[in-house]
Amino acid sequence: MGVVSCGTTMLDQGVFQNIGAVTWDTTAKTAGFTAVSGNGYFVNTTSGAITVTLPSSPAAGAIVGIKDYANTADTNNITIGRNGSNIQGTANDYVINTEGRSVVLVYVDGTQGWKVTSASQASDIVGPLFVTATGGTVTCCGDYKIHTFTGPGTFTVTCGGSPTGSNTVDYMVVAGGGGGGGGHGGGGGAGGYRESSGTASGCYSTSPLGACVSALPVTATAYPITVGGGGPAGAGYSHGNPSVGGNGNNSIFSTITSTGGGGGGGYNLPSGPPGNGQNGGSGGGGVGQLTAPGGSGNTPPVSPPQGNNGGPSNAPGGAGGGGAGVAGNSPPGPGVGAAGGNGVSTSITGSSVARGGGGGGGAEEGPNPAYAGGAGGTGGGGAGVANVPSITPGGNGTVNTGGGGGGGVGGSSPGGPLGGTGGSGIVIIRYKYQ
């Protein structure tokens, strides 16, 4: 053990001056530990990064020295854990990230906390680095920034951050919903819905789809953002040309792709085959013609699933499109449209919003009183059309929710009732910025 007393003692390129006594422990530390006031430590990060935790409840004049033992702090950093006290006047841990460097800290008071009194260079101790980025519509929620993209854009990261600040981002990526089918039409499936768990940026509430999903690491680069549009409505039908709704379009951020919702099944002339519900993020509902299956959700498959199946039809009414939360429903009775599957909610923007609802199925043409259309699923699903004397399209999915379009009512002539269009998707990115 060596003693550095008052006066001037050289250490590497730095000078410890008039700072009180520091006793240097010459046994290098190879794992994290809590420092004791009055001691200096040689920290060996050859095998990995190490955290030196400063003393708790320090008295004024407490002193700790830290030295990079093996010149490896640039590869495996030495983190200085504040242990409840400020460092350099901020409530953040600090990092030694330059090889061979050293630092001595003295506790001053509750405002400034630990102050650097000597270091090899001023850059030897750095504050935590946070993600810095531009793009989309930017809002703040406490110490977190939120970038919302309602259309295509670029998330440009200018600083990738650090482990002591932030270096990952949470996300929600919702694709465009599928369009509703035409006559007796099935509801469109919701756009694929994918999100992270939220633990990296403020522990906001997420849907079950975010459970155990890690935030994404980012680096200083430009990330193109794709926001999928909703699928088109099922058009008029003719022999061999069923009025199936169109699939929604994908939304993409970094390695995350959410698939557009499947279009709702559409009616064909009695002599032609029905147009089945389409596969997608969530599947489109089956058409109300004979027995028609719904489309498969979570196509292509990801984990956790990005959506659910569309409902099958077992009656003349259209089935509901699948939602991000639950599958679409089958018609509750002859001629009646089925409800779309419900979406899910997240508070990634600071308040809870539901997205990813499936479209409701359209009713069959029939006598009064009118058959009811199916309700759209919560989270932007469009409602299916009731049987009414006039030709009325199905309800559109709500924009920027990925909701599926509602199914149209049965018609007696080609080119008649249409489904509703799918709702466009959305991409939201959130991270700690201070």
Side-chain angles (χ1 to χ4, degrees), residues 75-301:
T75 302
N76 297 318
N77 298 165
I78 301 171
T79 297
I80 304 173
R82 68 188 190 92
N83 202 6
S85 299
N86 287 346
I87 301 177
Q88 297 286 86
T90 65
N92 293 304
D93 296 341
Y94 273 66
V95 175
I96 297 174
N97 62 358
T98 305
E99 68 175 51
R101 300 312 187 186
S102 57
V103 65
V104 170
L105 300 104
V106 176
Y107 185 80
V108 180
D109 54 33
T111 301
Q112 289 295 316
W114 296 91
K115 296 288 289 184
V116 176
T117 62
S118 182
S120 300
Q121 294 181 9
S123 61
D124 290 351
I125 180 170
V126 297
L129 301 177
F130 296 91
V131 172
T132 305
T134 60
T137 300
V138 183
T139 56
C140 294
C141 180
D143 291 337
Y144 307 98
K145 278 190 177 177
I146 301 141
H147 295 245
T148 301
F149 293 85
T150 55
T154 303
F155 180 66
T156 302
V157 178
T158 55
C159 176
S162 69
T164 57
S166 65
N167 60 1
T168 61
V169 299
D170 281 305
Y171 62 86
M172 184 196 72
V173 180
V174 181
H184 305 199
Y193 186 111
R194 301 182 68 183
E195 68 175 327
S196 58
S197 62
T199 55
S201 63
C203 298
Y204 57 89
S205 63
T206 64
S207 77
L209 302 183
C212 301
V213 179
S214 299
L216 287 177
V218 292
T219 59
T221 191
Y223 295 87
I225 301 294
T226 300
V227 175
Y237 55 86
S238 61
H239 181 68
N241 183 31
S243 50
V244 177
N247 281 20
N249 296 286
N250 298 350
S251 290
I252 304 171
F253 163 54
S254 184
T255 59
I256 304 301
T257 297
S258 294
T259 308
Y267 186 74
N268 201 350
L269 291 174
S271 57
N276 294 329
Q278 302 297 293
N279 302 336
S282 282
V287 61
Q289 184 179 6
L290 304 175
T291 300
S296 296
N298 194 33
T299 305

Side-chain angles (χ1 to χ4, degrees), residues 339-395:
N342 287 335
V344 294
S345 297
T346 179
S347 62
I348 189 170
T349 59
S351 58
S352 183
V353 178
R355 300 178 179 88
E364 180 200 18
E365 181 183 24
N368 288 323
Y371 294 129
T378 57
V385 177
N387 176 43
V388 292
S390 60
I391 296 174
T392 304

